[in-house]
Amino acid sequence: MLNNQKTSPIPNHETSQSSKPIFSSNLAAVLNDPRKDRTKKAYLFTKTWGSDFTESANFKIIKSELGIKNFESHINETNERLKKHHHNKNLLKNVPSNSKLNIRSLNESNSLSLDQIPQTFFDSNFNLSDRQTFELVIKSEASIRKIQKVQSPFLESPTKEFSNDANWCKLVLNKFSLYLDIIESHITKQISSKANTFFNAIHSQDEVQEHILKTSSQAKQIRHNMQTLNRESIICSIRILKLVSLKIRYQKFLDKMELLSTVHQNQPAIQVHLASSEYNGALDIISVSQELLRHDLKFIRCLRHFDSQFQEIGKVIEKMINQDFIKYLNGELSRDVEEKCQIKDENELYSLVSSLMKIKSYDFIDLSREEIDLYVKSIFKIKLIEKISQLDNDEEISMLNSDTNNHELIEKVKSLRFDQFLEIIEIVLKNFEIIICRVELIVNFMLDVFKKNKSYEKESNKEIVGQNGWFKIEDKLNDLLNKTIDFVQEMLITVLDPKFKEENSDKISIHSFSSFLKLIDTFLIKIDNELKNKTATLRSWQQNQTSKFLNKIHSELKDKLVLSIDSESWKIVEPPSDFKNIIDTLNENFFNHPSNFVCRISNESGSNFLYINEEKHIIFGIVLTLIKITLEYVQLSFLTPTFYYEVSNRIVEIYNIFNRKTFKMILGVGAIEAGLLNVITFKTLALTLRSLDTVLKFIPFIRNYFLDKIVDKKANVERQFSKLILDFQEHINELNNKLVYMIDDKLGESISVYEVKAPVPSQCFRSICYQIEKTYQLLIDILPETNIKKLFIQVDDKFKTRLKNRLIQLKVSRDGGPQYAMIFQDMTFYQKQIKNLAYLSEISINFEDIWN
């Protein structure tokens, strides 16, 4: 294989460069030509350069003619190779196409690959002098030879078999020579590939050396030029700069001395400002002096005690400002109540607050709250004592003074009449209102001062108070006003609560209570207009007392209604002459003059009758009582606007009680059980129906009134009144059915004995018509026309049903005979009598259905 190998230059990326490599890549082929003996390679580089450097072949010229015999030796020599070639060719045909390899490529790879060399030779401990290593190499070569013979059928094998060990050893030596040739070939390749890089590095080193020499000469020239420049220009300039710096230091020293003189003279200046109460000026001097001492004059030992002196002066000034602030606050609060609610001297307040701001002293806020609380207590006590003394000239009361015990004072207040109590409360509320107004103005003014200082701090980038500190200050100021309002409410409740205890509440009338509520509401509204949701304590107490008062009034009115129903005589009652005023009051003040509700009192034959929408209403006395109670409830809701929903619930309860009690007394015969009536008559039922109908006319207007006033829970109010109307209508229907039943029962007694015989009209029909006419005359003065028509239409239907059943019993049919004629005349008589009644003339009476 090696004999047939043609060496070619090894491709390398460096050969593409412009510079040509020093060694040719064909050198490896020259050195590793397997056809040459290794002895010839040894003196390759020691040959004399010239024509004999390369070997030349000497050809003998054979002049005789050449024949086949001349080539026998060559043919014999190549026959074996030819047979080998044909054998390999046949084997190659049987190999799959994807396994066919280029023989030349395989030979080249096998001849140059390091894989041919056993790994033993690459071991770091390889040593042929070692016996075991030597035996391992020899055995390994023997096994490799056998494997190559088996796995490489395409390789050219030796022409002869080695029959003895000497020949085999020679072959092994040649194999080792081949390993050496492979190693040398790879070394040569590495040298060839790296040679160009090496010589390029040498060339670059020369260029760098030249550049360094040139740069060195230039650096020497620059240094020479710089020395000349320094000598001629820089030294003079530096001398000028030193003189300027010396001047600046002298100026700073002079400034320090002036500052020291100023600080030394500041203490007398502070005394001058304090003498004229100019706290801001004194604090400014202290602040500036401390700033100078802590920064500009920090290391001057003669001034080391000045800072502590200024701090002590600041503390004294803080006490003086707090005292002046409390004095100013008392002066503002104690001004006359009749004066306008405004700050009297804003400049003084601004000076005090801004001064406290500068020294970061905020204790004055807590001191202000304590002073305000004390003033509220004192003014509250003084006003109570003054008013009580004015209202009662009793010696014991006139001897009251500011030292009077609070418990004794409250007891005196409890003993006053409620109208006197209202006068005291009005005065107290007025004073409290002025106090709150003035405190609010002072607090808002202080907040403005703090905000101005805050904005000044941001503009000047001076951190006087941190962001959290600002929030705390604002919260404390706002809390000052809130606490004042809370304390005022607590003071009011301490006097109001004992007056409204249960044992005293019975003496309070609705009018007096409404006057009291107006006073409290006026006070709360004025505060809430300026300060939202700050009167929760007093408002809660007011709602609680109002709820108690409503419950008390409701209990009284409920008992009044129940007692009125239990003692009702169930007879017609004339409405009093002033009853029209009650109706007019409801219409004018609460129902807004509804066009479908016109009420009047008419005097007929010396008797008063109630007319609603020109309908005459004959009623029981309990209806008048219920309407009066309704007026009281509506007036109560008008006086307590925040309790519209509660009042609506209670008035619905009152009407439900009226409906249930009336039902129990009439349809439930409770009046008979109570001994008020011996029997529930037809007239009593009709009067009850008319009374309920009268009450039902008022309910929609009451419902609309409360729906207009109530903001929330309108659906609940609508549902309650709808159910109330439905209950009244059901009660009225039951009374109507009871009336129909009673009439039908009377007519049933007559029709049960009816006989079809002369005379005509029969006595039975005469009796029926008489009973109907008598009932009609009874109802015409009680029920309206529509109710009477509805009632008699139902009676007529009942009557025809009974007549039909009676005719079936008598086996009378519509056959045109004598009996039919007499029945027809009775029916005609019945129709004529019904038509003669005024309200029943338009009723359609048809007897055709009795024959069906």
Side-chain angles (χ1 to χ4, degrees):
M1 290 295 293
L2 294 175
N3 292 336
N4 296 330
Q5 181 179 357
K6 292 182 179 180
T7 61
S8 60
I10 299 174
N12 193 305
H13 67 280
E14 294 181 356
T15 60
S16 63
Q17 299 177 356
S18 60
S19 59
K20 193 173 182 180
I22 295 175
F23 299 106
S24 174
S25 59
N26 289 327
L27 181 62
V30 173
L31 296 176
N32 295 297
D33 189 353
R35 292 174 296 179
K36 295 184 178 182
D37 194 9
R38 288 187 58 81
T39 58
K40 296 180 180 181
K41 298 176 185 178
Y43 58 89
L44 176 66
F45 292 102
T46 61
K47 282 185 177 183
T48 303
W49 292 85
S51 59
D52 293 335
F53 184 76
T54 57
E55 296 179 356
S56 59
N58 296 322
F59 296 96
K60 296 178 179 181
I61 301 174
I62 302 175
K63 298 181 178 180
S64 60
E65 294 182 358
L66 297 175
I68 191 67
K69 291 181 180 182
N70 299 105
F71 296 98
E72 285 181 358
S73 61
H74 176 72
I75 292 171
N76 292 332
E77 185 180 351
T78 58
N79 275 338
E80 189 68 26
R81 293 172 60 188
L82 181 63
K83 291 179 182 180
K84 183 78 173 178
H85 171 70
H86 286 298
H87 177 70
N88 291 339
K89 186 176 181 181
N90 293 330
L91 290 175
L92 186 62
K93 290 180 180 180
N94 297 328
V95 176
S97 60
N98 57 356
S99 301
K100 292 180 180 181
L101 302 174
N102 186 285
I103 297 175
R104 181 175 178 176
S105 299
L106 182 61
N107 292 339
E108 290 177 356
S109 63
N110 290 334
S111 63
L112 298 179
S113 176
L114 292 174
D115 295 338
Q116 300 181 46
I117 303 173
Q119 293 297 322
T120 307
F121 291 96
F122 295 106
D123 193 356
S124 59
N125 297 323
F126 179 77
N127 186 7
L128 280 176
S129 61
D130 183 52
R131 180 178 180 179
Q132 294 181 355
T133 303
F134 182 80
E135 291 178 356
L136 180 64
V137 169
I138 297 302
K139 292 179 181 180
S140 174
E141 287 301 324
S143 63
I144 290 172
R145 180 171 177 272
K146 292 179 181 181
I147 293 172
Q148 286 178 345
K149 288 180 68 178
V150 175
Q151 294 183 350
S152 304
F154 303 110
L155 297 176
E156 186 178 354
S157 61
T159 56
K160 297 180 181 181
E161 295 291 334
F162 295 96
S163 58
N164 51 47
D165 293 338
N167 292 333
W168 181 81
C169 288
K170 184 178 181 180
L171 181 63
V172 170
L173 290 175
N174 290 335
K175 192 69 174 178
F176 289 162
S177 298
L178 177 61
Y179 293 163
L180 182 60
D181 292 341
I182 292 172
I183 295 298
E184 290 177 351
S185 174
H186 279 275
I187 292 173
T188 303
K189 289 179 183 179
Q190 291 296 322
I191 293 172
S192 176
S193 63
K194 302 297 181 180
N196 189 31
T197 304
F198 171 76
F199 284 101
N200 285 338
I202 296 298
H203 179 70
S204 299
Q205 184 68 23
D206 294 338
E207 291 180 354
V208 170
Q209 189 68 24
E210 292 177 1
H211 184 69
I212 290 173
L213 293 174
K214 184 178 180 179
T215 304
S216 176
S217 63
Q218 291 176 353
K220 290 179 181 180
Q221 183 65 33
I222 291 172
R223 290 179 65 187
H224 176 73
N225 294 338
M226 290 180 65
Q227 290 174 0
T228 304
L229 180 64
N230 182 45
R231 184 174 59 254
E232 295 178 356
S233 301
I234 301 302
I235 292 176
C236 294
S237 299
I238 290 174
R239 186 178 296 111
I240 294 172
L241 292 175
K242 286 182 178 179
L243 293 174
V244 172
S245 176
L246 184 61
K247 181 182 178 181
I248 292 173
R249 288 200 298 271
Y250 286 162
Q251 185 65 41
K252 287 183 179 180
F253 177 75
L254 180 61
D255 293 339
K256 291 282 186 181
M257 296 301 295
E258 291 177 352
L259 289 175
L260 191 149
S261 176
T262 301
V263 171
H264 190 268
Q265 296 173 2
N266 278 345
Q267 289 187 356
I270 292 171
Q271 299 297 330
V272 173
H273 282 84
L274 291 179
S276 58
S277 298
E278 295 181 4
Y279 299 114
N280 275 324
L283 291 173
D284 288 338
I285 294 174
I286 293 175
S287 176
V288 171
S289 300
Q290 288 179 329
E291 188 74 17
L292 293 174
L293 290 171
R294 292 169 185 172
H295 296 89
D296 298 333
L297 305 176
K298 183 176 181 180
F299 299 105
I300 300 178
R301 294 180 59 83
C302 64
L303 301 177
R304 62 183 181 275
H305 300 299
F306 274 56
D307 189 27
S308 60
Q309 292 176 4
F310 283 125
Q311 290 179 3
E312 293 298 326
I313 295 173
K315 292 179 181 179
V316 173
I317 293 175
E318 179 182 355
K319 292 180 181 179
M320 295 173 63
I321 296 174
N322 282 327
Q323 291 174 359
D324 288 352
F325 180 80
I326 296 301
K327 182 179 178 181
Y328 174 84
L329 182 63
N330 287 326
E332 280 292 322
L333 295 176
S334 59
R335 285 191 294 120
D336 190 3
V337 179
E338 301 300 329
E339 294 184 19
K340 292 183 178 179
C341 184
Q342 60 184 12
I343 298 176
K344 187 176 181 180
D345 191 350
E346 292 184 355
N347 294 330
E348 182 180 359
L349 181 59
Y350 180 83
S351 175
L352 294 171
V353 175
S354 60
S355 299
L356 291 169
M357 176 68 182
K358 287 180 181 178
I359 59 178
K360 302 179 184 179
S361 176
Y362 310 116
D363 294 337
F364 73 97
I365 300 176
D366 297 328
L367 295 174
S368 300
R369 194 174 74 182
E370 294 175 1
E371 289 297 323
I372 291 172
D373 290 349
L374 289 174
Y375 180 76
V376 169
K377 285 182 181 179
S378 62
I379 195 66
F380 182 67
K381 195 171 185 179
I382 290 170
K383 292 302 176 182
L384 285 178
I385 293 172
E386 288 178 357
K387 193 61 182 176
I388 291 173
S389 301
Q390 292 175 6
L391 294 175
D392 199 332
N393 295 324
D394 188 12
E395 289 187 9
E396 184 180 354
I397 295 179
S398 61
M399 290 177 65
L400 292 173
N401 52 46
S402 58
D403 297 330
T404 305
N405 191 305
N406 290 336
H407 179 72
E408 295 178 3
L409 188 59
I410 291 174
E411 291 298 324
K412 296 298 181 184
V413 172
K414 288 170 61 177
S415 64
L416 295 175
R417 298 193 311 273
F418 198 78
D419 55 340
Q420 295 175 337
F421 175 75
L422 289 180
E423 294 180 16
I424 295 176
I425 293 301
E426 184 177 4
I427 294 173
V428 170
L429 290 177
K430 184 177 180 181
N431 281 271
F432 282 169
E433 183 182 338
I434 294 296
I435 291 173
I436 292 173
C437 178
R438 290 173 180 171
V439 171
E440 181 188 3
L441 288 176
I442 293 173
V443 169
N444 290 335
F445 186 84
M446 289 192 292
L447 282 172
D448 292 338
V449 174
F450 274 76
K451 289 176 181 178
K452 289 179 182 178
N453 281 275
K454 182 180 179 181
S455 60
Y456 171 76
E457 176 185 336
K458 289 183 178 179
E459 292 174 0
S460 60
N461 294 324
K462 294 181 179 180
E463 187 178 354
I464 300 175
V465 181
Q467 192 68 19
N468 293 332
W470 283 112
F471 291 145
K472 291 179 180 178
I473 294 169
E474 291 182 6
D475 290 342
K476 289 184 72 174
L477 285 172
N478 290 323
D479 189 61
L480 172 62
L481 181 59
N482 296 337
K483 293 294 184 182
T484 301
I485 296 173
D486 292 340
F487 187 74
V488 166
Q489 296 178 82
E490 290 175 4
M491 292 299 297
L492 284 171
I493 291 175
T494 55
V495 176
L496 295 176
D497 200 49
K499 189 66 178 177
F500 283 87
K501 291 295 183 181
E502 293 183 1
E503 61 267 21
N504 297 326
S505 61
D506 295 336
K507 303 176 184 179
I508 304 174
S509 64
I510 295 178
H511 178 73
S512 298
F513 188 77
S514 64
S515 300
F516 168 76
L517 289 181
K518 287 180 181 179
L519 287 176
I520 299 297
D521 283 336
T522 303
F523 174 74
L524 294 177
I525 289 171
K526 287 182 179 179
I527 296 177
D528 286 339
N529 287 338
E530 300 178 1
L531 305 169
K532 303 297 182 184
N533 301 324
K534 303 299 182 185
T535 58
T537 303
L538 184 57
R539 194 173 292 280
S540 176
W541 179 89
Q542 178 198 22
Q543 291 177 353
N544 186 29
Q545 294 299 325
T546 305
S547 179
K548 290 180 180 179
F549 186 77
L550 285 177
N551 291 333
K552 179 182 76 69
I553 296 298
H554 177 65
S555 179
E556 292 176 357
L557 295 178
K558 183 168 63 174
D559 293 341
K560 179 180 178 181
L561 178 64
V562 172
L563 182 61
S564 178
I565 295 174
D566 290 339
S567 60
E568 175 63 38
S569 61
W570 305 104
K571 296 180 181 179
I572 299 174
V573 175
E574 296 181 10
S577 57
D578 61 342
F579 187 74
K580 185 178 185 303
N581 296 332
I582 296 176
I583 302 299
D584 292 339
T585 302
L586 287 171
N587 285 337
E588 293 174 4
N589 298 327
F590 306 107
F591 295 163
N592 296 325
H593 297 284
S595 58
N596 58 342
F597 189 82
V598 179
C599 180
R600 63 184 178 86
I601 303 295
S602 177
N603 191 297
E604 299 175 4
S605 302
S607 300
N608 293 329
F609 293 97
L610 175 65
Y611 281 84
I612 300 177
N613 296 337
E614 298 306 322
E615 285 187 2
K616 185 177 181 181
H617 287 255
I618 300 176
I619 55 179
F620 292 131
I622 55 174
V623 176
L624 302 178
T625 304
L626 180 63
I627 294 174
K628 291 178 182 179
I629 292 175
T630 301
L631 177 61
E632 292 188 40
Y633 271 109
V634 177
Q635 287 177 334
L636 188 61
S637 67
F638 183 74
L639 297 175
T640 56
T642 56
F643 286 86
Y644 280 118
Y645 181 73
E646 287 76 7
V647 174
S648 69
N649 289 339
R650 287 166 173 79
I651 200 169
V652 168
E653 183 183 355
I654 287 291
Y655 273 74
N656 279 323
I657 291 173
F658 175 84
N659 189 31
R660 290 196 300 269
K661 290 290 292 183
T662 304
F663 182 90
K664 180 180 178 181
M665 297 299 287
I666 301 303
L667 293 179
V669 299
I672 298 176
E673 295 175 357
L676 301 174
L677 293 175
N678 295 326
V679 64
I680 305 298
T681 62
F682 186 84
K683 183 178 181 180
T684 303
L685 291 173
L687 286 171
T688 305
L689 189 149
R690 189 54 169 165
S691 297
L692 291 175
D693 184 62
T694 304
V695 172
L696 189 59
K697 290 183 182 298
F698 283 87
I699 295 177
F701 301 104
I702 300 171
R703 175 191 60 191
N704 296 336
Y705 169 74
F706 283 104
L707 287 176
D708 292 338
K709 300 296 182 181
I710 294 173
V711 178
D712 300 326
K713 302 179 181 179
K714 284 190 175 183
N716 293 341
V717 176
E718 182 72 32
R719 183 171 60 254
Q720 289 176 355
F721 276 99
S722 297
K723 186 176 183 305
L724 178 64
I725 292 173
L726 183 63
D727 291 342
F728 268 83
Q729 289 174 345
E730 290 179 355
H731 191 180
I732 290 173
N733 291 335
E734 290 185 11
L735 288 170
N736 187 76
N737 294 335
K738 187 66 175 179
L739 292 174
V740 172
Y741 172 78
M742 293 179 71
I743 298 173
D744 178 62
D745 187 59
K746 287 289 185 181
L747 298 181
E749 293 178 359
S750 300
I751 204 69
S752 63
V753 295
Y754 174 63
E755 296 291 341
V756 184
K757 60 181 180 179
V760 178
S762 62
Q763 186 63 34
C764 177
F765 268 82
R766 291 177 183 273
S767 176
I768 290 173
C769 291
Y770 174 75
Q771 292 173 3
I772 290 175
E773 183 178 0
K774 183 179 179 181
T775 304
Y776 172 80
Q777 294 299 331
L778 177 64
L779 295 177
I780 196 171
D781 292 329
I782 300 175
L783 298 179
E785 180 179 354
T786 54
N787 288 25
I788 294 175
K789 285 183 180 180
K790 178 182 176 182
L791 179 67
F792 278 98
I793 288 174
Q794 294 177 345
V795 170
D796 180 64
D797 292 338
K798 297 282 187 180
F799 170 72
K800 287 188 288 185
T801 301
R802 288 185 177 274
L803 180 59
K804 179 179 179 181
N805 295 332
R806 181 59 181 170
L807 293 177
I808 292 173
Q809 291 178 358
L810 297 175
K811 299 180 180 181
V812 177
S813 61
R814 191 177 183 181
D815 55 0
Q819 286 185 327
Y820 172 75
M822 286 187 290
I823 293 173
F824 181 78
Q825 290 181 11
D826 285 338
M827 292 178 182
T828 303
F829 174 75
Y830 173 81
Q831 290 178 341
K832 183 178 179 180
Q833 292 298 318
I834 295 298
K835 293 291 185 181
N836 289 335
L837 302 177
Y839 293 169
L840 307 180
S841 59
E842 298 179 0
I843 293 179
S844 177
I845 300 176
N846 185 10
F847 285 97
E848 292 295 329
D849 53 348
I850 68 173
W851 303 107
N852 296 330

